[in-house]
Amino acid sequence: MRRRLAIALTTGLFGALLAMSLGWAVHARSGGAGAAIYLGSWSWWMEGEDFGGWSALELSENGREFTAVSDRGHVISGRIARNGGMIASVTAGPIHGLRDETGARLRGFRGDSEGLAIGPDGALYISFEGAHRVGRYATPDSAAEWLPRAPGFKELQSNSSLEALAIDARGTLYTLPERSGRITRPFPLYRWKNGSWDAKLRLPRRGNFLAVGADFGPDGRLYLLERDFAGIGFRTRVRRFEIEGDKLTHETELLQTSTGQHDNLEGLSVWRDQGGRIRLTMISDDNYRFFQRTEFVEYAVPETLAKSR
């Protein structure tokens, strides 16, 4: 994703600046009672050349601790201070460099880390879209323990493979590529269970949106974050599914924004706040470009939609 999107972003910069100079306003699609409710955004910045490119996000159950992974093989953890439930400040660091099985730093193509899931033992599971694989890290500084590759991984598109990773309450891992190979072809949803992969699940592809992040919510449902780049800005969509055996059911669209409402949202964490609402917390990948920004963005799922089946 990184190289292809970088070219498109550079091409679209002039149009974006022109749109902003004309006072072009965009907003999240309201969609009535079925739409997620926008709560707020927080721009985040730290000094250092390794900061940026955050592509995956996990929050603690109380929404106050987080871990993020960048597409240049970095991982960072930190704290979110809240005031009235809203983000008031973010502190984090240091930034750790991910390592291969020998303990050597992962760089370039091999270090294109995109998805993150945290196991019940605290281990980090990270998916890579360059080398099409998933690694387990006991700590951010540990050597990688590579999971075997699924047979279908070798058929995935270069630079568009394992973009999203999630783990359910039973410790089963799920991962899917950014692209399915054709706009009419469903995304293959790979499942790591009992020491092996299966590819029985298929996630329907809708329109031009591409898969960039995933998480299981406290309700046990699978939430999928998707992105579409429209030349002068990004659109974001979140869909939710239930998994029943080898089928995905109860597909529900929770959010779809207009172009430019947010930056390039790629990481998603789903949790329940003190008021009992399910929250969608997302983080943007700034692609290390001055005209983009790193931001946390939060939405709440309405009670009527949270209970829907």
Side-chain angles (χ1 to χ4, degrees), residues 173-205:
L173 286 170
Y174 296 77
T175 188
L176 71 159
E178 179 182 7
R179 297 174 183 269
S180 62
R182 191 164 56 240
I183 197 168
T184 57
R185 179 183 297 164
F187 295 102
L189 183 59
Y190 297 96
R191 178 170 48 187
W192 173 260
K193 184 178 180 181
N194 298 325
S196 64
W197 293 101
D198 73 57
K200 299 176 182 178
L201 293 164
R202 289 292 183 270
L203 194 151
R205 184 167 174 175

Side-chain angles (χ1 to χ4, degrees), residues 16-193:
L17 293 175
L18 176 62
M20 287 186 288
S21 69
L22 294 174
W24 178 49
V26 294
H27 57 279
R29 192 174 71 176
S30 61
I37 301 166
Y38 175 64
L39 299 177
S41 302
W42 180 270
S43 293
W44 179 38
W45 180 82
M46 287 174 51
E47 290 188 1
E49 62 181 12
D50 291 337
F51 180 83
W54 305 111
S55 299
L57 178 69
E58 284 287 340
L59 265 65
S60 59
E61 290 184 359
N62 63 6
R64 293 181 178 273
E65 288 83 37
F66 75 92
T67 299
V69 167
S70 84
D71 58 15
R72 291 187 180 176
H74 296 124
V75 60
I76 191 171
S77 293
R79 291 186 57 83
I80 298 174
R82 295 182 178 273
N83 184 2
M86 302 297 101
I87 298 176
S89 66
V90 175
T91 56
I95 295 175
H96 301 265
L98 293 173
R99 302 179 181 277
D100 66 13
E101 70 280 5
T102 70
R105 275 281 286 115
L106 285 168
R107 302 183 187 279
F109 179 80
R110 298 177 67 236
D112 191 354
S113 46
E114 296 286 350
L116 170 67
I118 300 179
D121 60 353
L124 308 180
Y125 291 89
I126 297 174
S127 63
F128 294 79
E129 73 167 1
H132 309 340
R133 58 188 175 182
V134 176
R136 178 186 182 275
Y137 291 85
T139 71
D141 292 318
S142 297
E145 302 171 41
W146 301 117
L147 275 61
R149 287 185 171 96
F153 285 5
K154 62 183 179 182
E155 301 172 3
L156 299 177
Q157 291 177 251
S158 177
N159 199 42
S160 296
S161 66
L162 304 180
E163 185 85 12
L165 184 67
I167 190 168
D168 68 15
R170 295 178 295 275
T172 301
L173 286 170
Y174 296 77
T175 188
L176 71 159
E178 179 182 7
R179 297 174 183 269
S180 62
R182 191 164 56 240
I183 197 168
T184 57
R185 179 183 297 164
F187 295 102
L189 183 59
Y190 297 96
R191 178 170 48 187
W192 173 260
K193 184 178 180 181

Side-chain angles (χ1 to χ4, degrees), residues 29 34-36 206 209 237-240 250-256 305:
R29 192 174 71 176
R206 310 289 187 202
F209 284 90
R237 182 171 70 188
V238 176
R239 289 187 288 162
R240 185 184 66 198
H250 298 89
E251 176 184 347
T252 305
E253 182 179 299
L254 302 176
L255 170 69
Q256 186 177 147
L305 197 55

